[in-house]
Amino acid sequence: MLRWLCSSWGTFTASEIAAVEQLCLSHHRLGAGGVLGDLRSEAGYDAFVAYLACIDKTAQALGLEVAPRAYREQFSLNYKALFPDCARHLRVDVLEASIEQQSEIWVNGEQFELSADARRHAQLLQEAWAELGALLGRWHAAWAAQASGQPL
């Protein structure tokens, strides 16, 4: 099924397909692409934590490179505690901040103004989030159709 949706990527191993299938199921559990309101409930938050962990696991299974994160060296000690190295460290609070599109954030009771560059990256994150959700939605629909014996 993954080969059908993403045929230009080449061939996949059974473990890669299993990782993508698990990611698809995790995304489907969010329901309707995962709305912000659900992020604020404990169950919704936990579902997003599981989904982000599944995204990271799938990226590792597919051998996707981690984007450069040298900029983290400039982070304050508080942020370095959250992002201690150059690994992905996908976080629900970062996703939520990108959804809200605020020009400032509060960290430990202190207000920080987000730069235009940070706001642009938040928008790019939202675009990538939407693209991933759309791809996984198509995967799930094709997978469900195949499981029910319907033609693709």
Side-chain angles (χ1 to χ4, degrees), residues 78-79 106-112:
N78 287 338
Y79 278 109
W106 291 82
V107 178
N108 296 329
E110 190 174 344
Q111 183 179 3
F112 293 90

Side-chain angles (χ1 to χ4, degrees), residues 120-152:
R120 183 178 62 78
H121 281 89
Q123 180 60 41
L124 292 172
L125 173 58
Q126 283 306 298
E127 292 170 11
W129 181 259
E131 289 174 19
L132 177 61
L135 175 65
L136 293 173
R138 288 191 307 272
W139 163 271
H140 182 76
W143 186 27
Q146 185 180 41
S148 68
Q150 296 176 358
L152 300 176

Side-chain angles (χ1 to χ4, degrees), residues 94-131:
V94 172
L95 175 63
E96 185 176 17
S98 77
I99 292 169
E100 292 179 349
Q101 298 286 308
Q102 300 293 321
S103 59
E104 69 273 334
I105 59 171
W106 291 82
V107 178
N108 296 329
E110 190 174 344
Q111 183 179 3
F112 293 90
E113 183 74 24
L114 295 176
S115 68
D117 194 44
R119 290 190 305 271
R120 183 178 62 78
H121 281 89
Q123 180 60 41
L124 292 172
L125 173 58
Q126 283 306 298
E127 292 170 11
W129 181 259
E131 289 174 19

